[in-house]
Amino acid sequence: MRQIIISTMLFLVASSSFSQQTTSQPSFTQQDYLEKSKKQKKVGTILLVSGAGLIATSIIIPKGELVYNGICVGAYCDDKYKNDGIKSAFFIAGGIAALSSVPLFIVSRKNRRKATSVSIKMENTIQLYNQNFVHTSFPALRVKANF
């Protein structure tokens, strides 16, 4: 009985270790890369514009009433105004939004390069068919190497 169980377990382990994968990753086409690049560029632009808007809003908001009259040393004074917290929150949120757009622009450019490096185009050729030359076209894979 032990031998049957052990041999069955070994058979199951061996059969699963030498099997092929059932799921394969889909290959992206030129159109897929271009759409992905457009979406990433659009999101990056939205983040950049909204970040700039938040920073501009933080500059436009008035200081408000003086809450704490601080100590002045030379040109530096640490006075505290009512709207200082709101202004700094808008400024920090705008800076984070603007800086987070940079990686999206970089990845968008890489996807655009991938789209232009691999493409399918129709090639024309002359072939001999029944003792006559015939112009035919066939699909060809174009690979552009960027070094």
Side-chain angles (χ1 to χ4, degrees), residues 6 14 21-22 27 29 31-32 36-37 39 50 52 55 69-70 72 75 87 96 104-106 120 123 131 144 146:
I6 291 173
Q21 292 181 353
T22 57
S27 61
T29 62
Q31 190 65 28
D32 293 335
K36 194 174 182 181
S37 174
K39 288 178 184 178
S50 64
I55 290 173
N69 193 3
C72 289
K87 288 178 68 127
I96 290 172
L104 288 170
F105 284 124
I106 292 170
I120 296 176
E123 289 285 334
Q131 298 178 350
K144 180 180 173 186
N146 296 325

Side-chain angles (χ1 to χ4, degrees), residues 7 10 20 22 25 30 32-33 42 52 54 66 70 82-83 89-90 94 111 119 123-124 144 147:
S7 63
L10 286 174
Q20 294 181 354
T22 57
Q25 295 179 349
Q30 179 184 13
D32 293 335
Y33 281 122
K42 183 186 281 187
L54 287 172
L66 182 65
K82 187 176 181 181
N83 293 337
F90 272 104
N111 283 331
S119 64
E123 289 285 334
N124 296 322
K144 180 180 173 186
F147 293 106

Side-chain angles (χ1 to χ4, degrees), residues 116-120 140-146:
T116 58
S117 66
V118 176
S119 64
I120 296 176
L141 182 66
R142 182 181 76 153
V143 177
K144 180 180 173 186
N146 296 325

